[in-house]
Amino acid sequence: MENQRIGGAFLPDRNAAPAPTPAEPIGRYPCPCCGCRTYPVPPEDDLSYICPVCYWENDRFIASDDEPSDQNHGLTLSEAKQSYAAIGAVRADFLKYVRKPTAGELPEEK
């Protein structure tokens, strides 16, 4: 049986073999700030994704954690990490936008 087209989208063949399970969840890469696995692609490949857990906006153009980020209004990644550890968001005015990480998003133990 072939894939079916419904309303512009293709539905996979229900009889097809399941995709192999990857070692790392698909679309879950760690946020550079909070470490939660919320990024859909590796941070070095992404531009402007905002983490829903800490509200860090990815800035792949900063060279170090201490370089001000244009995407984050001059905030450095080091400052954002300290703020997230203290209050749960990169800035206090973003607390209304953040959410708790799901169990599958929690940072890996080191």
Side-chain angles (χ1 to χ4, degrees):
M1 180 178 202
E2 293 182 20
N3 290 347
Q4 295 179 341
R5 185 180 176 106
I6 297 181
F10 284 97
L11 297 177
D13 179 357
R14 286 188 275 181
N15 297 318
T21 304
E24 185 170 315
I26 295 175
R28 298 290 181 195
Y29 297 90
C31 169
C33 178
C34 66
C36 293
R37 302 174 75 72
T38 58
Y39 276 57
V41 297
E44 60 272 7
D45 294 342
D46 180 62
L47 181 61
S48 298
Y49 178 78
I50 298 175
C51 175
V53 173
C54 69
Y55 225 67
W56 174 257
E57 184 171 357
N58 193 49
D59 186 349
R60 69 182 206 177
F61 300 109
I62 57 173
S64 76
D65 288 5
D66 296 317
E67 182 178 341
S69 167
D70 290 338
Q71 306 295 86
N72 294 281
H73 307 284
L75 190 67
T76 69
L77 185 53
S78 292
E79 293 167 335
K81 288 177 179 180
Q82 290 173 343
S83 181
Y84 175 73
I87 64 170
V90 297
R91 291 186 359 203
D93 54 328
F94 290 159
L95 282 168
K96 60 187 169 193
Y97 302 114
V98 299
R99 62 169 174 76
K100 299 282 185 195
T102 65
E105 293 172 337
L106 291 171
E108 291 181 359
E109 296 288 325
K110 293 182 181 181

